[in-house]
Amino acid sequence: MLATSLAGDYPLLNLFWTIAEIFLWVLWIFLLIRVLDDVFHDDSMGGGAKSAWAITVVLIPFLGVFVYLIARGSGMGERSLKRAQKNEQDFQKYVRETATGGGDSGSHADELAKLADLRKRGDITEEEYQQAKAKVLA
């Protein structure tokens, strides 16, 4: 009879070893992606240096990643922190501009409202209103 269980063919120690191997491969892939991300986001390196590091890391992955970590690893955290701070500042600036109506759409709407108010009060004619509206929308 060929009814054998998979658990009997795959002992518990082999299961633990397989889980450890998968964990290490995922960890390795994460490290490889992190190094390539740092290479391409580093503004202090030129295109030639970036391509050389990328080729090294792709063709000789273990040696390339370890050499990169030794040579440039100390600045990886600093570059990542600066990038995160810049992103946060850009986001805060965008939120402030949007909340205060500092964008173009807010100023256009304000201008049109002022023009409509002037026309309603009779300070400007319909023709002047249409000309001013065309300038604001242009």
Side-chain angles (χ1 to χ4, degrees):
M1 186 165 199
L2 294 173
T4 60
S5 73
L6 183 60
D9 293 337
Y10 205 69
L12 187 60
L13 187 57
N14 285 349
L15 178 67
F16 288 139
W17 181 250
T18 302
I19 291 171
E21 286 178 336
I22 291 170
F23 174 76
L24 289 174
W25 275 110
V26 169
L27 186 67
W28 171 251
I29 291 170
F30 175 76
L31 182 61
L32 185 67
I33 291 170
R34 178 71 173 93
V35 166
L36 285 172
D37 179 60
D38 188 62
V39 166
F40 288 113
H41 282 106
D42 188 4
D43 294 333
S44 66
M45 279 197 296
K50 287 181 182 185
S51 62
W53 276 115
I55 289 170
T56 303
V57 167
V58 169
L59 293 181
I60 318 168
F62 289 106
L63 183 62
V65 166
F66 293 133
V67 168
Y68 185 83
L69 290 175
I70 291 169
R72 300 185 49 83
S74 62
M76 286 176 71
E78 295 167 4
R79 288 187 291 275
S80 178
L81 180 64
K82 286 179 185 176
R83 209 168 39 244
Q85 287 172 343
K86 184 184 179 315
N87 289 342
E88 180 67 22
Q89 288 172 353
D90 291 345
F91 175 73
Q92 293 296 333
K93 179 182 174 187
Y94 171 76
V95 168
R96 278 192 299 276
E97 287 176 357
T98 304
T100 59
D104 289 338
S105 62
S107 63
H108 290 311
D110 292 341
E111 289 291 323
L112 290 174
K114 289 176 187 176
L115 287 172
D117 187 46
L118 288 173
R119 182 185 61 174
K120 189 186 296 184
R121 288 188 303 183
D123 294 339
I124 60 174
T125 65
E126 180 65 29
E127 183 179 315
E128 292 171 332
Y129 170 75
Q130 292 300 331
Q131 288 175 353
K133 184 173 115 176
K135 284 182 184 178
V136 168
L137 295 176

